[in-house]
Amino acid sequence: MRGKYEISLLIIYTGGTIGMVQDPENGSLVPIDFRYISDHVPELRKFGYSLHSISFDPVKDSSNIDPQVWIKIAEIIEDNYERFDGFVVLHGTDTMAYTASALSYMFENLGKPVILTGSQLPIGLLRTDGKENLITAIEIAAAKEKGLPSVPEVCICFDNKLVRGNRTTKMSAEHFDAFYSPNYPPLAEVGLHIKYFSGVIRHPEPDKKFTVQKAFDNNVAILKIFPGINRKLVQAITRTEGLRGLIIETFGSGNAPTYQWFLDDLKNFIDNGGIILNVTQCHGGSVEMGLYETSRQMLAAGVVSGKDITSEASVTKLMHLLGRYQSNDKVVEALGRSLAGEIS
Ligand code: ASP
């Protein structure tokens, strides 16, 4: 028996625009005191849920969020996992897709909703999108079907859409509709009703325990290929001391120049113990290595296909796997399969 409230949720405020109001004295944006969130969003009192909040102190602009912060968020959720039905993480939009991806790999057998949201306009401004996003995220975190959470996944809820976190990219610095999921359908649509698409929602394996993996290795790099790329740049990256994993963002379905020096540099990196993951720089679709000559030779050199993974999900996956395994074979094997629904 839980007393007055049936549903209990934890809101974790990390920082970002959503938690800002205008300072009445000088008009600049300052973070709100999250203990008084209901004063800013009185609608929250109408839910009848037991809402608790934890705020980072100091709050973080999401540009400053890194693996240490992902671990901190994950530990807050781990420590409170049994006490709450769901979690809402308020986060700056700029790196929200990275955090959502990282959390999705850290949480194994997640059986409760972890819903990230934020806003383009501060919650203290009249036209804010923050209230709507927060209220909807709370409703989704609380939603149950036959006594079980409707969406036991790490998701991003933004502008009337619920998308899998590790499938998401921030696409607009201007519009309220800021996120999109190029290669995977939304998990729910928010209109008059919230419509859950149960066929595309992941569920944990029954009887398996929720665990949290906390190791990351940030000895990784992303190299975006462009016409005219110069060898000194490629070598500066591939010869970086300690670099273990390199993502190459390639053209179209995974293509890159067939210059001999380029292939030699990639091969040298791999021969010296590095891992290269091929991810498309297109905003949708998949790498298909071997389809063209321009990717067949990379395949022969040992470059791994990133399939339809986003850039955000790939760099966090690589950091997670390199933190978890010393063996390159294990990392390469895990790169090729879905850990948390990040590839098809
Ligand atoms: N710079 C902010 C951040 O990502 C922007 C936002 O919250 O939307 O933290």
Side-chain angles (χ1 to χ4, degrees):
M1 186 69 186
R2 283 180 145 169
K4 182 176 160 210
Y5 303 104
E6 269 197 18
I7 302 268
S8 195
L9 302 176
L10 181 63
I11 303 171
I12 303 162
Y13 176 51
T14 64
T17 300
I18 188 164
M20 301 280 173
V21 284
Q22 249 167 346
D23 186 324
E25 273 170 25
N26 57 22
S28 67
L29 288 171
V30 289
I32 55 174
D33 182 338
F34 235 76
R35 285 171 302 172
Y36 306 113
I37 176 69
S38 301
D39 295 346
H40 299 278
V41 193
E43 294 87 339
L44 294 183
R45 296 199 183 99
K46 295 190 188 160
F47 270 125
Y49 304 147
S50 169
L51 298 177
H52 297 252
S53 64
I54 291 182
S55 177
F56 276 33
D57 185 16
V59 294
K60 281 193 178 278
D61 186 286
S62 75
S63 297
N64 288 321
I65 286 189
D66 59 16
Q68 288 317 312
V69 183
W70 300 335
I71 294 169
K72 186 170 165 184
I73 299 170
E75 284 179 339
I76 293 174
I77 293 174
E78 184 181 32
D79 292 346
N80 289 284
Y81 192 73
E82 297 305 331
R83 268 186 70 200
F84 293 96
D85 296 283
F87 303 87
V88 173
V89 180
L90 303 181
H91 193 291
T93 56
D94 291 346
T95 67
M96 192 184 293
Y98 293 88
T99 298
S101 300
L103 292 175
S104 77
Y105 307 132
M106 295 176 83
F107 295 148
E108 286 190 342
N109 291 299
L110 179 67
K112 298 189 177 184
V114 175
I115 314 296
L116 280 80
T117 195
S119 69
Q120 295 282 56
L121 279 179
I123 209 145
L125 297 193
L126 217 48
R127 280 196 312 109
T128 185
D129 52 333
K131 285 188 186 182
E132 209 66 44
N133 288 345
L134 174 60
I135 290 168
T136 308
I138 287 175
E139 189 160 341
I140 290 171
K144 297 206 180 192
E145 217 182 299
K146 296 190 187 129
L148 293 172
S150 300
V151 197
E153 288 210 36
V154 180
C155 308
I156 291 182
C157 171
F158 218 89
D159 194 46
N160 295 332
K161 255 187 313 196
L162 183 75
V163 279
R164 178 173 295 157
N166 59 31
R167 289 290 194 156
T168 308
T169 296
K170 181 173 177 182
M171 66 169 174
S172 176
E174 166 71 22
H175 297 122
F176 287 156
D177 184 10
F179 288 90
Y180 93 132
S181 168
N183 293 325
Y184 200 74
L187 307 185
E189 254 166 29
V190 184
L192 280 183
H193 304 283
I194 301 182
K195 199 168 158 200
Y196 295 95
F197 303 116
S198 52
V200 294
I201 295 173
R202 279 169 61 91
H203 291 272
E205 285 187 41
D207 306 326
K208 278 210 172 168
K209 228 179 135 309
F210 169 65
T211 54
V212 184
Q213 301 290 335
K214 295 178 193 167
F216 287 97
D217 183 342
N218 69 351
N219 282 300
V220 298
I222 301 181
L223 171 62
K224 183 168 181 165
I225 309 297
F226 55 90
I229 193 164
N230 115 19
R231 185 170 196 182
K232 274 191 269 174
L233 171 75
V234 173
Q235 287 194 335
I237 293 177
T238 54
R239 293 182 182 180
T240 303
E241 206 192 315
L243 191 73
R244 290 180 67 202
L246 173 64
I247 289 159
I248 46 170
E249 279 192 7
T250 53
F251 308 127
S253 54
N255 305 307
T258 50
Y259 315 140
Q260 197 53 49
W261 65 259
F262 180 75
L263 291 162
D264 288 346
D265 288 347
L266 298 191
K267 192 161 177 346
N268 273 337
F269 179 71
I270 294 169
D271 290 346
N272 288 323
I275 293 171
I276 301 183
L277 186 66
N278 183 356
V279 173
T280 179
Q281 54 185 254
C282 287
H283 303 293
S286 183
V287 162
E288 268 186 80
M289 290 184 72
L291 187 64
Y292 293 92
E293 180 62 14
T294 41
S295 65
R296 194 191 57 77
Q297 295 190 36
M298 286 195 288
L299 187 62
V303 172
V304 180
S305 171
K307 303 181 180 167
D308 61 348
I309 200 165
T310 61
S311 180
E312 294 88 333
S314 69
V315 70
T316 47
K317 185 173 183 177
L318 202 49
M319 282 196 254
H320 162 76
L321 291 175
L322 291 172
R324 193 164 175 177
Y325 303 119
Q326 272 310 310
S327 144
N328 273 11
D329 289 348
K330 280 197 171 157
V331 174
V332 168
E333 181 275 324
L335 281 172
R337 66 182 156 84
S338 152
L339 305 182
E342 73 283 2
I343 51 175
S344 300

